[in-house]
Amino acid sequence: MWPTSRNALLYVSPDGLRGAEWILAAYPFELGGLPVAWQMSARPHPASALTEWNAYFTAGIPHEALTDFLLALDASETPDVGLENAEAVLTALGARGWLRDMDRPHTTATDPGFSTNVSLEILPPLIHDADPRDDLLGWQAWAEPVLGAPYLWCASFSASAPHELVAAFASSLAAPGPVPRRTLPVGAEDRLTVVRRG
């Protein structure tokens, strides 16, 4: 780990193929009107100056899903490949009870409470990928507990991000088990089941 020229913190795996950078403080970049906090990336070999793909997460992302994504990235022997099975993402969500969008069943799913979505979409601006074309699709995820209200968090995966890694993130995101929180997300309080520890 070391500070970068943007005064961010960069973590690099021992093999030099994976990176995680905390960019919140020094890189003004937003998804869904929220500042991006983390940028994850992978490269084909340690000497490569360019990353093969990137994933971006805003502040407020459920830390369990981010942790599980990083664990899957760390366990991947070839973190720069894995684009064969886009269906893996929707299958992972369906296994957790998420619903496929009736209009776009091959690209979009939502949680049963209709507050969180995962969708294969045209990439928003500033999402970097080894493939420079403008019309590429990448996985997007966001939480909007009340329709039209500000997003709680957003995530964006560039077009070359392995679907298997996105599926690990999606499966963790959709896990039904309780999660520890000190504060409840603003605007979502009446949509949550709160279990207090005694």
Side-chain angles (χ1 to χ4, degrees):
M1 180 198 75
W2 61 84
T4 69
S5 61
R6 298 188 299 208
N7 295 318
L9 295 177
L10 175 64
Y11 300 83
V12 178
S13 62
D15 62 7
L17 299 179
R18 302 155 187 85
E21 188 173 4
W22 174 258
I23 62 174
L24 184 62
Y27 190 50
F29 168 31
E30 293 184 346
L31 288 174
L34 298 170
V36 171
W38 285 102
Q39 177 180 342
M40 311 300 172
S41 60
R43 60 189 77 247
H45 51 83
S48 175
L50 299 176
T51 58
E52 189 68 21
W53 59 264
N54 291 280
Y56 304 86
F57 304 91
T58 66
I61 192 89
H63 59 269
E64 299 85 5
L66 185 59
T67 299
D68 288 341
F69 175 78
L70 285 168
L71 290 172
L73 175 60
D74 186 53
S76 175
E77 291 185 21
T78 53
D80 62 320
V81 297
L83 289 173
E84 295 77 32
N85 189 10
E87 183 65 23
V89 176
L90 297 173
T91 299
L93 291 168
R96 301 283 197 176
W98 281 39
L99 311 169
R100 290 194 187 214
D101 186 286
M102 289 176 29
D103 296 325
R104 301 183 303 161
H106 301 294
T107 61
T108 305
T110 187
D111 76 289
F114 300 102
S115 64
T116 306
N117 299 276
V118 175
S119 185
L120 192 58
E121 305 273 347
I122 294 286
L123 293 171
L126 302 177
I127 303 299
H128 299 289
D129 192 83
D131 188 331
R133 291 176 291 167
D134 292 333
D135 60 346
L136 298 175
L137 300 177
W139 289 103
Q140 315 295 309
W142 64 94
E144 183 183 22
V146 178
L147 190 61
Y151 295 130
L152 290 180
W153 55 263
C154 298
S156 185
F157 300 84
S158 74
S160 300
H163 297 303
E164 292 77 9
L165 294 178
V166 180
F169 169 81
S171 180
S172 179
L173 181 64
V179 292
R181 294 292 186 267
R182 290 184 183 270
T183 59
L184 300 179
V186 175
E189 298 90 341
D190 59 342
R191 300 179 65 104
L192 301 173
T193 301
V194 178
V195 178
R196 302 202 186 277
R197 294 186 183 179

